[in-house]
């Protein structure tokens, strides 16, 4: 039933309207009556009135003011003016407020019934449309993961303009700005690659991939993100607002701990707008291919270094002890597989972290130096300039951003 309120300061008029219409036949009921505009507004809001029959000449709050308040506070309410004012100025104001009908007293019962019938049909049609929209909205929400997957593959494939990317982000309930990280998780067994140590049935492989995706979703849940599989079968995630975090290292450790699977992960920071994401994806994918050839010992050692790079006392000895090998053996593996030394790799990790903090936070140079494991700002600035070519202050101002982007 549609709720109707009758607002008129004359009791006989209210009674006449109430008695002259077969409300039940129209699927309506008189839910409230009021003798002034203020009372009418209060009762209309209380009963969530669908239709208001309003007189213009009422005490305390006149009809035009009441209509304006209803438009603001109960915009779906349909309004019919029933008044003795046959003046063009009143009709103009009523039109501006979007009233549905303007009837003069005494209201003809047939005319009033006809108006209410038409409004009832409009309300019913609007309700049906709302139901269809809600059903469509539920269906879209249900398919959001699939829609995001398709969108992300089009995004990394450079099939969309910048404006289309921003529109799709808004539609898919993702931040309409550049993300902070692009991460990839590769499970070699899923591809049957040479790195796979076990050949599993397809059903089991898919179950394992699903389990990895669940771990990704759980560990990425603190940040807005879109997870999807790229055309190569890699598990990818585009992450917003996570510039200060390393969720993909945590994903790799969790998969190893809970699923006993060997996966390769890499997170590449996104420096630039949404249009840079395809290039970031290609860079991350290239690194992932190279990473797969690295031995588990070196991967564990490097992950330990990334997790503890903030410790000024981090050393080759402590890292080797953490992964269960000798310092000499670990040093040799670094040279053979990475073509670098422990000290050079640690410096690279610390400087890479520092560049991200310089560009994405307001931390002072001294705070960043401490955060990445340097005991003094001077030592950090010297190491940074040697590695990057400019001082941390100049880098933050953008002097080296273009070179970095190349």
């Amino acid at each position: 039933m549609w709720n109707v309120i009758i607002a008129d300061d004359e009791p006989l008029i209210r009674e006449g309207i109430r008695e002259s219409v077969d409300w039940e036949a129209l699927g309506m009921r008189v839910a409230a009556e009021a003798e002034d505009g203020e009372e009418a507004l209060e009762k209309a809001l209380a009963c969530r009135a669908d239709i208001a029959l309003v007189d213009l000449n009422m005490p305390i709050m006149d009809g035009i003011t009441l209509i304006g308040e209803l438009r603001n506070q109960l915009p779906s309410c349909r309004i019919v003016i029933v008044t003795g004012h046959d003046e063009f100025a009143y009709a103009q104001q009523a039109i501006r407020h979007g009233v549905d009908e303007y009837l003069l007293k005494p209201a003809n019962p047939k005319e009033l019934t006809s108006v209410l019938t038409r409004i009832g049909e409009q309300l019913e049609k609007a309700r049906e449309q709302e139901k269809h929209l809600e059903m469509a909205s539920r269906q879209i929400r249900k398919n959001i993961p699939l829609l995001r997957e398709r969108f992300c593959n089009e995004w990394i494939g450079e099939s969309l303009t910048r404006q289309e990317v921003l529109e799709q982000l808004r539609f898919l309930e993702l931040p309409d700005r550049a993300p902070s990280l692009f991460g990839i998780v590769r499970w070699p067994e899923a591809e049957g690659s040479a790195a796979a140590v076990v050949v599993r049935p397809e059903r089991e492989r898919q179950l394992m991939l699903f389990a990895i995706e669940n771990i990704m979703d759980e560990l990425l849940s603190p940040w807005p993100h879109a997870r999807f599989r790229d055309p190569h079968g890699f598990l990818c995630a585009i992450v917003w607002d996570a510039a200060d975090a390393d969720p993909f290292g945590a994903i790799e450790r969790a998969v190893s701990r809970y699923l006993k699977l060997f996966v390769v992960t890499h997170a590449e920071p996104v420096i630039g707008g949404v249009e840079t994401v395809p290039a970031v994806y290609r860079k991350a994918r290239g690194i992932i291919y190279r990473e797969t050839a690295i031995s588990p010992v070196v991967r564990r050692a490097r992950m330990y270094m990334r997790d503890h790079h903030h410790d000024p006392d981090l050393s080759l000895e402590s890292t080797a002890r953490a992964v269960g090998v000798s310092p000499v053996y670990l040093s040799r593996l670094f040279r053979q597989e990475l073509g670098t030394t422990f000290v050079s790799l640690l410096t690279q990790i610390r400087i890479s972290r520092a560049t991200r903090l310089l560009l994405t936070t307001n931390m002072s140079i001294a705070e960043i130096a401490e955060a990445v494991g340097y005991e003094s700002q001077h030592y950090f600035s010297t190491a940074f300039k040697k590695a990057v070519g400019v001082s941390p202050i100049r880098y933050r101002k953008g002097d080296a951003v273009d070179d970095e982007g190349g």
Side-chain angles (χ1 to χ4, degrees), residues 30-250:
V30 177
E33 295 183 22
E35 62 182 17
D36 63 68
E38 193 172 85
E39 182 188 15
L41 178 61
E42 182 180 334
K43 289 185 174 180
L45 293 174
C47 73
R48 307 302 296 173
D50 300 296
I51 302 171
L53 303 178
V54 177
D55 180 26
L56 292 180
N57 188 23
M58 290 187 293
I60 304 178
M61 180 189 291
D62 65 28
I64 291 295
T65 305
L66 169 61
I67 292 167
E69 289 297 324
L70 287 174
R71 278 285 165 260
N72 289 330
Q73 300 185 51
L74 202 62
S76 62
C77 181
R78 312 302 291 268
I79 297 171
V80 176
I81 292 176
V82 183
T83 184
H85 288 278
D86 185 15
E87 295 184 17
F88 182 66
Y90 281 108
Q92 276 188 317
Q93 290 185 67
I95 290 168
R96 279 200 298 271
H97 284 294
V99 301
D100 292 88
E101 196 65 60
Y102 192 106
L103 300 177
L104 292 175
K105 296 178 181 177
N108 182 293
K110 287 186 177 180
E111 185 180 9
L112 180 57
T113 298
S114 175
V115 166
L116 290 169
T117 299
R118 184 170 67 253
I119 290 176
E121 290 171 350
Q122 292 170 353
L123 285 170
E124 194 63 44
K125 185 177 180 181
R127 183 160 62 183
E128 285 298 313
Q129 288 176 338
E130 192 173 328
K131 282 169 59 179
H132 289 310
L133 287 173
E134 179 56 31
M135 286 175 59
S137 180
R138 281 201 304 270
Q139 191 65 30
I140 288 171
R141 283 195 295 271
K142 181 180 176 183
N143 289 318
I144 280 285
L146 290 174
L147 295 172
R148 285 182 176 180
E149 178 142 351
R150 179 189 297 176
F151 158 67
C152 287
N153 274 293
E154 290 178 345
W155 190 1
I156 64 175
E158 299 182 284
S159 302
L160 304 171
T161 65
R162 181 179 182 278
Q163 188 58 37
E164 287 171 337
V165 169
L166 295 175
E167 289 173 359
Q168 290 274 14
L169 287 171
R170 286 190 287 270
F171 175 73
L172 295 172
E173 301 173 357
L174 293 166
D176 58 346
R177 60 181 186 279
S180 56
L181 291 177
F182 193 109
I184 297 179
V185 178
R186 183 186 187 191
W187 179 35
E189 283 187 41
E191 308 152 34
S193 71
V197 294
V198 178
V199 178
R200 301 174 189 266
E202 177 61 22
R203 183 174 181 277
E204 186 178 345
R205 283 212 305 266
Q206 291 303 323
L207 285 173
M208 288 297 182
L209 283 170
F210 182 69
I212 295 171
E213 289 173 330
N214 281 343
I215 289 175
M216 290 176 69
D217 284 336
E218 182 177 345
L219 294 179
L220 292 173
S221 62
W223 307 279
H225 69 279
R227 176 187 49 75
F228 64 101
R229 298 186 191 185
D230 76 353
H232 302 272
F234 295 172
L235 306 181
C236 302
I238 301 173
V239 189
W240 284 260
D241 307 328
D244 297 335
D246 180 23
F248 289 89

Side-chain angles (χ1 to χ4, degrees), residues 289-306:
Y289 277 123
R290 295 194 295 273
E291 291 285 304
T292 306
I294 297 173
S295 66
V297 171
V298 171
R299 287 190 59 75
R300 290 202 309 274
R302 192 173 55 184
M303 188 175 296
Y304 182 84
M305 293 168 69
R306 286 172 177 161

Side-chain angles (χ1 to χ4, degrees), residues 239-353:
V239 189
W240 284 260
D241 307 328
D244 297 335
D246 180 23
F248 289 89
I251 289 168
E252 186 169 334
R253 289 189 292 274
V255 170
S256 175
R257 179 180 178 184
Y258 297 114
L259 302 180
K260 310 301 181 188
L261 298 177
F262 167 70
V263 296
V264 182
T265 67
H266 177 71
E268 189 67 26
V270 178
I271 307 297
V274 296
E275 64 277 3
T276 66
V277 167
V280 173
Y281 159 70
R282 289 192 297 271
K283 182 177 180 181
R285 191 183 69 203
I287 292 171
I288 279 288
Y289 277 123
R290 295 194 295 273
E291 291 285 304
T292 306
I294 297 173
S295 66
V297 171
V298 171
R299 287 190 59 75
R300 290 202 309 274
R302 192 173 55 184
M303 188 175 296
Y304 182 84
M305 293 168 69
R306 286 172 177 161
D307 289 344
H308 296 83
H309 70 274
H310 57 275
D311 181 1
D313 297 324
L314 182 63
S315 65
L316 174 63
E317 288 72 20
S318 63
T319 303
R321 187 164 53 249
V323 297
V325 298
S326 72
V328 173
Y329 180 62
L330 183 59
S331 180
R332 185 163 67 246
L333 286 179
F334 275 157
R335 288 185 179 278
Q336 288 175 350
E337 297 186 19
L338 303 180
T340 190
T341 64
F342 173 85
V343 172
S344 295
L345 178 60
L346 180 57
T347 300
Q348 178 187 334
I349 291 170
R350 285 173 167 167
I351 298 302
S352 175
R353 175 69 172 156

